[in-house]
Amino acid sequence: MALCTLEHVSRHYGNGAALVHALKSVSLTVEPGEFTVLCGPSGSGKTTLLNQIGLLDVPDEGSLTIEGVSVKGLSSGALSKLRGEKIGFIFQSFNLIPVLTARENVELALQLSGRASNGTRAADEVLEQVGLKGLEHRRPNELSGGQQQRVASARALVKKPALVIADEPTANLDSENGEAVLS
């Protein structure tokens, strides 16, 4: 079964003379184990498409399924639950909570998905995997941009989602740490 299927998905913003067609009849299938890359110029709809797949936004037209579950007509609560169970999202702008430590930012993903048991151990394991062992107690403002990106990556990976969506996840990393995050 496909992880994600989009069929003729369109998304528009604005209306009248200000109408913007961010996505026009996009079809895409992502299978388990696939690594898919979206390339295109600024403003071409890459982030809009990722927001559709990540269930942060819904299509105006077309259909979207995540592991066989159609998102059409799902309530915001049901979309949030599906996103929490199936999807890890690494945002381009990190979106870390400034008052939480690196560990707490990662643990939050487990809490929100209802899997908080063993959260500290799981958070520490994934922080070590992305090269942040020993920095668990630091807040985002005490970390470099690359370290913050790795915390954001760890937060997306800790719940072992079926699908990881990453909006430029290695943009702020050196080649060694970028390779670690991708692996």
Side-chain angles (χ1 to χ4, degrees):
M1 171 188 320
L3 288 178
C4 172
T5 304
L6 290 87
E7 294 180 357
H8 306 291
V9 167
S10 295
R11 184 67 173 109
H12 315 91
Y13 297 101
N15 54 40
L19 182 66
V20 174
H21 296 279
L23 299 174
K24 293 182 187 177
S25 194
V26 175
S27 295
L28 170 73
T29 299
V30 179
E31 298 290 342
E34 275 188 339
F35 190 93
T36 304
V37 177
L38 301 175
C39 296
S42 178
S44 64
K46 298 180 302 292
T47 297
T48 299
L49 181 59
L50 293 178
N51 287 342
Q52 299 292 310
I53 297 168
L55 308 179
L56 298 174
D57 196 6
V58 294
D60 292 323
E61 299 167 9
S63 66
L64 168 62
T65 61
I66 303 293
E67 286 197 323
V69 176
S70 173
V71 304
K72 191 170 194 137
L74 290 181
S75 68
S76 62
L79 287 170
S80 181
K81 184 175 189 295
L82 184 60
R83 183 175 47 252
E85 292 173 352
K86 303 288 184 183
I87 299 171
F89 209 120
I90 304 170
F91 296 94
Q92 186 175 2
S93 58
F94 316 143
N95 290 339
L96 299 177
I97 298 175
V99 297
L100 299 182
T101 65
R103 176 187 289 141
E104 292 166 340
N105 266 284
V106 174
E107 286 177 317
L108 182 61
L110 292 170
Q111 293 167 359
L112 293 174
S113 68
R115 295 184 266 174
S117 66
N118 298 322
T120 299
R121 185 176 54 104
D124 287 349
E125 285 174 4
V126 75
L127 284 167
E128 182 175 357
Q129 289 172 355
V130 298
L132 293 177
K133 183 176 180 161
L135 302 178
E136 302 90 346
H137 298 291
R138 292 198 184 172
R139 288 190 167 73
N141 69 343
E142 300 170 322
L143 298 168
S144 71
Q147 290 168 333
Q148 290 179 51
Q149 184 68 59
R150 287 185 277 156
V151 172
S153 298
R155 181 185 55 201
L157 299 172
V158 71
K159 60 185 183 171
K160 300 184 184 335
L163 180 63
V164 175
I165 298 168
D167 194 353
E168 299 188 36
T170 61
N172 297 301
L173 303 179
D174 57 60
S175 60
E176 181 180 329
N177 286 315
E179 287 178 25
V181 166
L182 292 175
S183 67

